[in-house]
Amino acid sequence: MNKLKLVIIGCLVSLTGCEVISEKAAPVEPVFVPVENEFCLFKMDTAVEHNCDLTYWLDFWVKHDGLSWTERKERINQLGETQAELMKKVLLSQGKGTPYQNRLRAQGWADELTPNLTEQMKQLFLVLVYRPSQELLEFESALTILTRMNTNQSKELHVQQQRLSEQQQQIDQLLKIEASMMEKKEGINQ
């Protein structure tokens, strides 16, 4: 066992020694590499207005985040099916009050968009939009299931309370009959 420890320590020391000896460590590539100092949403072969203007998209998202679901829904209905319009639909579907079905539809649009996004935007899109929306969908789904279970249990509890009440009435009637029979028996015995 001690020999194994020595071998492992020796390997670790020799590996770190190689790192020290190497002239230059490989540079760590940043996750987001701007194209020409800009972040482009879609691959360059996709013609999209404001494609490399990340500020435009963030402003769009923030500007519309405070709108009610009804207002955002109206704007979604006015949009078409281009890549830029699908992106707007997804962003409009992220605000508070978006119903489950509409958020689910937006996830479908997001799935449709993802293959056309640049690699750096895929990562950003997943972190900022897709995953949080997916988590909300999962929470809402779980909440719906728990609510249904709670409702069913409440109904079952009500049914059981009615049965108990009926059984209590039957027991009371039997006790009255028994008391009446006891009174008659005592009357006969006297």
Side-chain angles (χ1 to χ4, degrees):
M1 189 65 166
N2 285 336
K3 287 182 181 181
L4 180 61
K5 287 181 184 177
L6 287 174
V7 170
I8 292 173
I9 292 171
C11 288
L12 289 173
V13 169
S14 66
L15 286 175
T16 56
C18 291
E19 187 66 43
V20 171
I21 293 173
S22 71
E23 291 179 22
K24 199 175 188 182
V28 177
E29 294 281 330
V31 176
F32 301 105
V33 180
V35 176
E36 300 174 8
N37 296 324
E38 298 178 20
F39 284 103
C40 294
L41 268 65
F42 298 97
K43 296 174 184 172
M44 291 311 234
D45 61 346
T46 309
V48 173
E49 188 177 358
H50 304 289
N51 187 28
C52 296
D53 185 1
L54 186 59
T55 305
Y56 169 83
W57 294 99
L58 292 174
D59 285 344
F60 177 86
W61 192 7
V62 170
K63 177 183 171 187
H64 293 89
D65 187 60
L67 297 178
S68 71
W69 166 243
T70 307
E71 293 170 304
R72 288 182 287 122
K73 183 177 179 181
E74 286 175 23
R75 292 176 193 241
I76 288 171
N77 291 337
Q78 294 169 1
L79 294 169
E81 297 297 318
T82 67
Q83 296 296 303
E85 290 171 314
L86 285 177
M87 179 61 78
K88 287 179 179 181
K89 286 180 178 183
V90 171
L91 295 176
L92 286 168
S93 298
Q94 300 310 307
K96 282 185 179 180
T98 303
Y100 179 87
Q101 291 296 330
N102 298 91
R103 188 176 298 280
L104 187 59
R105 183 177 301 117
Q107 288 298 89
W109 293 326
D111 288 335
E112 192 177 326
L113 284 173
T114 303
N116 299 320
L117 296 175
T118 61
E119 286 305 312
Q120 64 265 29
M121 288 315 298
K122 277 183 191 176
Q123 297 303 316
L124 191 61
F125 188 69
L126 285 173
V127 169
L128 293 179
V129 178
Y130 192 85
R131 288 182 189 144
S133 186
Q134 189 65 34
E135 285 180 9
L136 275 175
L137 285 169
E138 290 169 6
F139 289 143
E140 288 177 26
S141 186
L143 183 61
T144 300
I145 290 170
L146 289 173
T147 300
R148 284 184 192 152
M149 288 174 55
N150 190 25
T151 300
N152 289 341
Q153 288 177 345
S154 179
K155 287 178 183 177
E156 184 63 31
L157 181 62
H158 182 70
V159 168
Q160 288 178 0
Q161 285 175 337
Q162 285 180 327
R163 286 181 188 156
L164 283 173
S165 177
E166 290 171 3
Q167 288 175 349
Q168 184 63 45
Q169 289 174 357
Q170 289 174 351
I171 289 171
D172 289 343
Q173 287 175 350
L174 288 173
L175 287 174
K176 285 179 185 177
I177 292 171
E178 183 182 15
S180 173
M181 289 175 61
M182 291 297 278
E183 286 177 6
K184 287 181 183 178
K185 185 177 180 183
E186 285 178 13
I188 293 175
N189 287 340
Q190 289 180 355

